[in-house]
Amino acid sequence: ALPISQGKIRKGGNKEPKAIMGSEHLSVLIGERIQHGWQEKNGTISQWNGLVLDQMEVNPALYLVKYDGVDCVYGIELFKDKRVKKLQIKPSKPNEFQASRDEHTKAEE
């Protein structure tokens, strides 16, 4: 997983972090798998994994996230909400459908 912080995003191996001027420029998160901690009122931190579905045009700080194992979509200000801890972009997995299709194509050759 790759750490991202307020104002910066880091994605890829040895590349320098890309400076971001504000959350309105972070549409690069759309379609990315993320993970982060969530700090409860009592101080405990739970871990969450999910997929960023969209960024709201009317409030660019607000992202729609579908979390693993939860049957709803959450609207969350990933970079403004102080309860979000250690936000990271998870490495992309190859598209399983694409990999399956590529294997099928090779078998036909």
Side-chain angles (χ1 to χ4, degrees):
L2 304 169
I4 55 180
S5 61
Q6 183 77 24
K8 291 187 178 180
I9 183 167
R10 183 175 174 189
K11 187 175 179 181
N14 296 326
K15 296 179 183 176
E16 290 294 315
K18 181 179 175 185
I20 303 296
M21 299 308 291
S23 62
E24 65 271 16
H25 298 289
L26 290 174
S27 62
V28 295
L29 288 179
I30 297 170
E32 295 288 347
R33 294 208 37 85
I34 61 168
Q35 70 180 25
H36 63 81
W38 180 261
Q39 187 170 10
E40 302 291 342
K41 288 181 181 179
N42 66 8
T44 61
I45 298 176
S46 55
Q47 292 299 312
W48 291 83
N49 295 293
L51 176 67
V52 179
L53 301 175
D54 204 357
Q55 181 180 25
M56 302 305 296
E57 289 182 28
V58 295
N59 179 2
L62 187 63
Y63 293 87
L64 297 179
V65 181
K66 168 63 176 89
Y67 288 103
D68 298 350
V70 181
D71 291 333
C72 66
V73 174
Y74 285 87
I76 184 169
E77 293 182 320
L78 292 171
F79 295 96
K80 287 187 173 183
D81 196 318
K82 301 293 185 204
R83 297 170 291 183
V84 174
K85 305 295 182 188
K86 297 183 180 178
L87 177 62
Q88 299 176 330
I89 297 176
K90 295 177 76 174
S92 299
K93 294 181 182 177
N95 183 323
E96 292 177 18
F97 175 75
Q98 181 67 39
S100 173
R101 194 176 89 197
D102 290 347
E103 290 171 8
H104 181 69
T105 304
K106 287 179 186 177
E108 290 178 348
E109 294 175 351

